Amino acid sequence: MQYRSFGKLNVEVSVVGMGAAALSGEGGGYGFGHISESDSIALVHAAQDAGINLFDTAPIYGFGMSEKRLGKALQGERRERAFIVSKSGITWDDDKNVRLDNSAKTTEKMLNQSLTDLNTDCIDLFLVHWPDAETDIRQTVEVLVAARDAGKIKAFGLSNTNADELALAAEISAPQVLQAQMNLFENDPVQSLFPSIQKHGMGFMSWGTLDKGILTGRVHHERKFDDVDVRSHAPWWTSVDHTPRYKAMETITPLIQEAGHTGLELALSHVLAHPEASTALC
């Protein structure tokens, strides 16, 4: 495993990070299929034993199940070797109706719940999951700065952000890490975020690195998803025609295979060729 500096944080993270939404499909929310708790824990241990030290989760992954399973997997000596990332902002009511809420009250509530569910005294990096048009990001950042000062988190950042939100947040305190979707078909961060990352020395995490499996060939036009896989029902997936990307990979895959490589290698190298990228989530 290779490692890179995480912006100005005094830590090196594995260039491949584990996206822990995969731990909690049957919990609902955002997940990728059935997996037992024992298999989830074994998966985390296998990832860590392979050199992965960054684990990215969020409350919406399994409505808390991902955080709880990750917390069970990373205890004692394993916790000491792990860099855990979680998030706030995507919350839900008693009927599991999901909403976006970056208000100060909800941010603090979600952070405290994540600490409990992860069974840890401190979260290494806490992100604001998505921009909330109803909330001034400066109010959210004030909560996160206070949490950092109190030792509840070591660092904070913004996920899926934009230049305007980033500028407002920096009026309170500059985010230390940014996260955004980036892969062979989605390259917006190169123009929208990398200049700020270069200027301020922030870390960067890609999500969607494998484009939900399209780039590795695991997802194609014949692929069926089980009932607890978010790709079986989420409008952001089911309402989009993925045919152009499938056809692109039908052309690309034989070429990279002829050169002795795989779609996984292509996906990772595309992100990691950029020095701004600290880790590519998979």
Side-chain angles (χ1 to χ4, degrees):
M1 182 61 65
Q2 298 177 17
Y3 300 85
R4 292 185 179 180
S5 59
F6 210 12
K8 293 181 179 179
L9 301 183
N10 187 28
V11 65
E12 289 200 338
V13 292
S14 51
V15 295
V16 177
M18 181 176 177
L23 303 182
S24 59
E26 67 274 32
Y30 184 89
F32 295 97
H34 291 277
I35 182 170
S36 68
E37 179 173 292
S38 60
D39 283 347
S40 293
I41 292 172
L43 180 58
V44 173
H45 289 175
Q48 192 174 48
D49 292 343
I52 290 173
N53 67 357
L54 185 142
F55 299 86
D56 174 275
T57 185
I60 192 59
Y61 304 160
F63 293 113
M65 184 178 287
S66 172
E67 288 185 314
K68 290 174 183 175
R69 288 180 170 179
L70 188 63
K72 288 181 179 180
L74 296 175
Q75 288 297 306
E77 181 268 341
R78 285 192 178 274
R79 176 66 185 98
E80 294 173 8
R81 293 192 285 122
F83 188 97
I84 295 178
V85 183
S86 196
K87 311 177 189 78
S88 66
I90 303 182
T91 187
W92 58 91
D93 61 21
D94 291 339
D95 296 321
K96 294 187 176 178
N97 296 307
V98 177
R99 71 180 191 279
L100 180 61
D101 184 356
N102 289 340
S103 67
K105 181 179 179 180
T106 296
T107 300
E108 184 170 17
K109 179 181 178 182
M110 294 189 75
L111 169 57
N112 289 331
Q113 187 63 52
S114 289
L115 286 165
T116 298
D117 289 347
L118 286 164
N119 193 20
T120 188
D121 295 328
C122 179
I123 297 172
D124 299 291
L125 173 64
F126 201 70
L127 303 175
V128 181
H129 208 151
W130 285 89
D132 173 11
E134 303 300 319
T135 301
D136 186 329
I137 189 62
R138 291 172 290 193
Q139 298 175 11
T140 317
V141 171
E142 286 176 348
V143 173
L144 298 182
V145 170
R148 186 176 61 188
D149 292 344
K152 291 183 176 182
I153 63 175
K154 292 181 181 178
F156 81 92
L158 303 179
S159 181
N160 306 302
T161 191
N162 54 65
D164 291 341
E165 183 185 59
L166 186 56
L168 283 175
E171 291 182 13
I172 305 301
S173 182
Q176 294 151 289
V177 174
L178 301 183
Q179 181 187 62
Q181 180 172 213
M182 183 178 175
N183 58 54
L184 191 66
F185 300 117
E186 303 280 353
N187 277 300
D188 180 69
V190 176
Q191 285 75 40
S192 64
L193 299 179
F194 282 12
S196 294
I197 288 170
Q198 294 166 355
K199 181 178 180 181
H200 301 291
M202 293 181 284
F204 176 77
M205 307 166 59
S206 69
W207 65 266
T209 307
L210 311 181
D211 200 21
K212 301 296 185 293
I214 293 176
L215 290 173
T216 63
R218 292 276 292 167
V219 173
H220 43 75
H221 64 90
E222 295 180 353
R223 172 70 184 268
K224 305 298 182 184
F225 304 103
D226 66 39
D227 59 333
V228 298
D229 191 311
V230 69
R231 293 167 295 186
S232 70
H233 57 81
W236 53 260
W237 179 269
T238 59
S239 66
V240 174
D241 181 9
H242 303 286
T243 304
R245 296 187 182 188
Y246 295 151
K247 288 185 175 179
M249 293 311 299
E250 289 172 3
T251 300
I252 293 170
T253 301
L255 299 176
I256 57 178
Q257 288 177 341
E258 184 179 341
H261 297 290
T262 66
L264 177 60
E265 290 174 322
L266 174 67
L268 291 173
S269 65
H270 177 78
V271 172
L272 297 174
H274 296 272
E276 294 85 358
S278 307
T279 188
L281 294 178
C282 300

